């Protein structure tokens, strides 16, 4: 089974099974991953599903649109490989991907 590893700020690791077509945020909330608040429900309107993608996996996440970029610009913990999990559609090709969760969400 293909999976993605999510690592909390304190180092706690969670592995979630990939379900093709679901967003990374949906996988996190379906599996009660702490640190993904998803306050807007995936509408790219709050920034509370910020993740930091491993650099080797960043190209697989696609390109951030203008709305996502604006939300990430307000995030103090933004890194070059930051994305909003609600904007990443998962596929089996992401098997083994690692994302880190910031200490705080917006």
């Amino acid at each position: 089974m293909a999976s993605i590893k999510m690592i909390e700020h304190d180092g706690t690791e969670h592995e979630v099974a990939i379900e093709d077509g679901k967003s990374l945020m949906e996988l996190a909330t379906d599996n009660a991953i702490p640190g993904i608040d998803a306050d807007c429900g995936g509408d790219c309107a709050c920034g509370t599903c910020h993740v930091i993608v491993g650099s080797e996996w960043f190209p697989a996440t696609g390109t951030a649109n203008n709305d996502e970029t604006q939300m990430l610009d307000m995030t103090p913990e933004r890194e070059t490989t930051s994305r909003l999990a609600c904007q990443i559609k998962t596929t089996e090709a992401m098997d083994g991907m690692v994302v880190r969760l910031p200490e705080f969400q917006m």
Side-chain angles (χ1 to χ4, degrees):
M1 174 182 354
S3 64
I4 294 173
K5 185 181 294 185
M6 297 183 174
I7 304 173
E8 292 180 57
H9 180 71
D10 68 3
T12 304
E13 296 183 5
H14 305 272
E15 232 172 276
V16 297
I18 292 172
E19 296 179 49
D20 269 352
K22 274 197 167 184
S23 72
L24 187 57
M25 181 216 71
E26 290 172 307
L27 296 182
T29 58
D30 289 353
N31 289 279
I33 304 300
I36 297 289
D37 299 333
D39 290 344
C40 73
D43 290 332
C44 194
C46 70
T48 63
C49 65
H50 174 214
V51 295
I52 302 154
V53 179
S55 59
E56 66 278 9
W57 288 101
F58 190 68
T61 65
T63 303
N65 65 30
N66 191 47
D67 291 339
E68 181 181 2
T69 301
Q70 288 179 349
M71 293 307 303
L72 288 168
D73 283 345
M74 294 187 286
T75 304
E77 294 183 81
R78 183 178 186 176
E79 295 188 17
T80 56
T81 60
S82 287
R83 291 292 312 270
L84 296 181
C86 68
Q87 299 301 297
I88 300 172
K89 294 295 179 199
T90 60
T91 69
E92 294 284 325
M94 292 176 173
D95 184 29
M97 184 165 80
V98 176
V99 299
R100 293 181 295 114
L101 307 179
E103 184 173 6
F104 303 103
Q105 293 287 0
M106 288 191 351

